[in-house]
Amino acid sequence: MHNQDLSEIEIFPIVDPEGNVIGKATRKECHSGSKLLHPVVHLHVFNKQGKLFLQRRALTKYIQPGKWDTAVGGHRDYGETVEQALAREAREEIGIIDFVPVKLFHYVYNSDKESELVDTYCTITDQESFTCDPAEVIEGKFWSIQEITDALGSGMLTPNFEDEFKLLMKALPNVFPQLFNA
Protein backbone atom coordinates (compact mmCIF):
# COMPACT_ATOMS: atom_id res chain seq x y z
CA MET A 1 0.00 0.00 0.00
CA HIS A 2 2.67 2.51 -0.92
CA ASN A 3 1.40 3.72 -4.28
CA GLN A 4 1.12 7.45 -4.67
CA ASP A 5 -2.56 7.15 -5.70
CA LEU A 6 -3.32 5.95 -2.17
CA SER A 7 -1.82 9.07 -0.56
CA GLU A 8 -5.27 10.43 0.29
CA ILE A 9 -6.52 7.07 1.61
CA GLU A 10 -3.64 5.87 3.83
CA ILE A 11 -4.02 7.13 7.40
CA PHE A 12 -0.98 7.70 9.62
CA PRO A 13 -1.00 8.42 13.34
CA ILE A 14 0.19 11.85 14.41
CA VAL A 15 2.43 11.56 17.46
CA ASP A 16 4.27 13.66 20.01
CA PRO A 17 8.09 13.30 20.27
CA GLU A 18 7.66 10.44 22.77
CA GLY A 19 5.50 8.47 20.31
CA ASN A 20 2.11 9.00 21.95
CA VAL A 21 -0.68 9.16 19.36
CA ILE A 22 -2.35 12.57 19.41
CA GLY A 23 -4.24 12.49 16.10
CA LYS A 24 -4.30 11.14 12.57
CA ALA A 25 -3.77 12.42 9.04
CA THR A 26 -3.47 11.16 5.48
CA ARG A 27 -0.12 10.31 3.87
CA LYS A 28 -0.63 13.31 1.58
CA GLU A 29 -1.15 15.67 4.54
CA CYS A 30 1.96 14.31 6.28
CA HIS A 31 4.16 14.69 3.18
CA SER A 32 2.92 18.10 2.06
CA GLY A 33 5.20 20.25 4.19
CA SER A 34 2.74 20.32 7.09
CA LYS A 35 5.46 18.99 9.45
CA LEU A 36 2.87 16.76 11.17
CA LEU A 37 5.03 14.37 13.22
CA HIS A 38 4.27 10.80 12.13
CA PRO A 39 6.01 7.54 13.08
CA VAL A 40 8.20 5.36 10.89
CA VAL A 41 10.24 2.22 11.51
CA HIS A 42 13.73 1.39 10.25
CA LEU A 43 15.46 -1.99 10.31
CA HIS A 44 19.20 -2.26 9.64
CA VAL A 45 20.06 -5.79 8.48
CA PHE A 46 23.62 -7.05 8.99
CA ASN A 47 25.17 -10.32 7.88
CA LYS A 48 27.59 -12.17 10.14
CA GLN A 49 30.55 -10.57 8.31
CA GLY A 50 29.38 -7.15 9.50
CA LYS A 51 28.11 -5.96 6.11
CA LEU A 52 24.95 -3.87 6.04
CA PHE A 53 22.13 -4.55 3.56
CA LEU A 54 20.93 -1.43 1.73
CA GLN A 55 18.04 -1.07 -0.66
CA ARG A 56 17.93 1.22 -3.67
CA ARG A 57 14.60 3.05 -3.64
CA ALA A 58 12.27 2.66 -6.61
CA LEU A 59 12.35 5.48 -9.15
CA THR A 60 8.62 5.99 -8.60
CA LYS A 61 9.06 6.90 -4.90
CA TYR A 62 7.90 10.40 -4.00
CA ILE A 63 10.81 11.02 -1.62
CA GLN A 64 14.46 10.28 -2.60
CA PRO A 65 13.78 8.08 -5.68
CA GLY A 66 16.67 5.90 -6.86
CA LYS A 67 18.88 6.49 -3.81
CA TRP A 68 20.35 3.84 -1.51
CA ASP A 69 18.65 3.65 1.87
CA THR A 70 18.05 1.62 5.02
CA ALA A 71 17.19 -2.05 4.33
CA VAL A 72 13.67 -1.56 5.68
CA GLY A 73 11.93 1.72 6.26
CA GLY A 74 8.26 2.48 6.32
CA HIS A 75 5.39 4.24 7.93
CA ARG A 76 3.36 2.98 10.83
CA ASP A 77 -0.32 2.81 9.96
CA TYR A 78 -2.97 4.26 12.26
CA GLY A 79 -3.86 1.66 14.91
CA GLU A 80 -0.67 -0.35 14.35
CA THR A 81 2.06 -0.89 16.98
CA VAL A 82 5.73 -0.23 16.25
CA GLU A 83 6.39 -3.99 16.32
CA GLN A 84 3.53 -4.72 13.90
CA ALA A 85 4.76 -2.02 11.52
CA LEU A 86 8.32 -3.35 11.67
CA ALA A 87 7.23 -6.92 10.87
CA ARG A 88 4.91 -5.76 8.05
CA GLU A 89 7.46 -3.45 6.43
CA ALA A 90 10.25 -6.06 6.64
CA ARG A 91 7.99 -8.62 4.96
CA GLU A 92 6.70 -6.17 2.31
CA GLU A 93 9.99 -4.52 1.35
CA ILE A 94 12.59 -7.32 1.44
CA GLY A 95 10.64 -10.45 2.36
CA ILE A 96 12.38 -11.03 5.69
CA ILE A 97 10.09 -12.69 8.25
CA ASP A 98 12.35 -14.64 10.58
CA PHE A 99 14.42 -12.07 12.47
CA VAL A 100 15.01 -10.82 15.99
CA PRO A 101 14.90 -7.02 16.06
CA VAL A 102 17.05 -5.16 18.58
CA LYS A 103 15.87 -1.63 19.39
CA LEU A 104 18.66 0.91 18.99
CA PHE A 105 17.15 4.38 19.38
CA HIS A 106 14.47 6.78 18.21
CA TYR A 107 14.74 10.36 17.05
CA VAL A 108 12.87 13.05 15.13
CA TYR A 109 13.93 13.52 11.50
CA ASN A 110 12.93 16.71 9.67
CA SER A 111 13.13 17.35 5.95
CA ASP A 112 11.60 20.10 3.85
CA LYS A 113 8.55 17.87 3.20
CA GLU A 114 7.93 16.07 6.50
CA SER A 115 8.70 15.35 10.14
CA GLU A 116 9.09 11.73 11.23
CA LEU A 117 9.55 10.00 14.57
CA VAL A 118 11.95 7.20 13.61
CA ASP A 119 12.13 3.99 15.68
CA THR A 120 15.38 2.29 14.66
CA TYR A 121 16.14 -1.41 15.01
CA CYS A 122 18.84 -3.77 13.78
CA THR A 123 19.25 -7.50 13.30
CA ILE A 124 21.85 -10.02 12.16
CA THR A 125 20.82 -12.56 9.54
CA ASP A 126 22.14 -15.68 7.82
CA GLN A 127 20.22 -14.77 4.66
CA GLU A 128 22.48 -13.82 1.76
CA SER A 129 19.81 -12.26 -0.43
CA PHE A 130 16.26 -10.97 -0.15
CA THR A 131 13.21 -10.83 -2.37
CA CYS A 132 12.66 -7.12 -2.84
CA ASP A 133 9.29 -5.63 -3.78
CA PRO A 134 9.86 -3.95 -7.19
CA ALA A 135 7.29 -1.26 -6.34
CA GLU A 136 9.49 -0.28 -3.40
CA VAL A 137 13.03 -1.38 -4.24
CA ILE A 138 15.07 -1.45 -7.49
CA GLU A 139 17.83 -3.60 -5.98
CA GLY A 140 19.50 -4.46 -2.73
CA LYS A 141 22.93 -5.59 -1.65
CA PHE A 142 25.24 -5.92 1.35
CA TRP A 143 27.77 -3.12 1.73
CA SER A 144 30.88 -3.07 3.89
CA ILE A 145 31.07 -0.28 6.44
CA GLN A 146 34.01 1.14 4.46
CA GLU A 147 31.97 1.17 1.22
CA ILE A 148 29.22 3.09 2.99
CA THR A 149 31.70 5.48 4.58
CA ASP A 150 33.25 6.12 1.14
CA ALA A 151 29.78 6.84 -0.34
CA LEU A 152 28.81 9.41 2.32
CA GLY A 153 28.27 12.83 0.75
CA SER A 154 28.31 11.48 -2.81
CA GLY A 155 24.56 11.83 -3.42
CA MET A 156 24.13 8.04 -3.75
CA LEU A 157 22.61 7.64 -0.29
CA THR A 158 19.49 9.27 1.15
CA PRO A 159 20.21 12.17 3.51
CA ASN A 160 18.18 10.42 6.19
CA PHE A 161 20.30 7.26 5.89
CA GLU A 162 23.51 9.29 6.05
CA ASP A 163 22.40 10.98 9.27
CA GLU A 164 21.19 7.72 10.79
CA PHE A 165 24.35 5.84 9.77
CA LYS A 166 26.38 8.10 12.06
CA LEU A 167 24.07 7.26 14.98
CA LEU A 168 24.20 3.58 14.02
CA MET A 169 28.00 3.47 14.11
CA LYS A 170 27.98 4.94 17.64
CA ALA A 171 25.35 2.47 18.93
CA LEU A 172 26.44 -0.80 17.29
CA PRO A 173 29.64 -1.62 19.20
CA ASN A 174 27.54 -1.80 22.37
CA VAL A 175 24.71 -3.79 20.76
CA PHE A 176 26.62 -6.21 18.51
CA PRO A 177 30.24 -6.23 19.72
CA GLN A 178 30.83 -9.47 17.77
CA LEU A 179 30.61 -7.46 14.52
CA PHE A 180 33.38 -5.15 15.66
CA ASN A 181 35.73 -7.56 17.43
CA ALA A 182 36.18 -10.06 14.61
Side-chain angles (χ1 to χ4, degrees), residues 44-107:
H44 294 280
V45 179
F46 286 88
N47 65 18
K48 291 193 175 176
Q49 293 73 46
K51 290 186 174 185
L52 182 60
F53 187 84
L54 299 183
Q55 60 145 290
R56 188 164 168 235
R57 296 172 60 82
L59 296 175
T60 55
K61 297 296 275 186
Y62 179 65
I63 295 173
Q64 301 296 327
K67 293 197 177 186
W68 289 93
D69 202 359
T70 309
V72 174
H75 292 89
R76 196 171 106 203
D77 292 334
Y78 188 76
E80 191 175 43
T81 67
V82 173
E83 294 78 15
Q84 289 168 330
L86 188 64
R88 177 183 49 76
E89 288 290 342
R91 183 182 66 253
E92 287 177 1
E93 291 194 0
I94 63 172
I96 186 172
I97 56 173
D98 186 19
F99 67 97
V100 178
V102 176
K103 175 98 185 239
L104 293 176
F105 45 78
H106 74 267
Y107 64 96

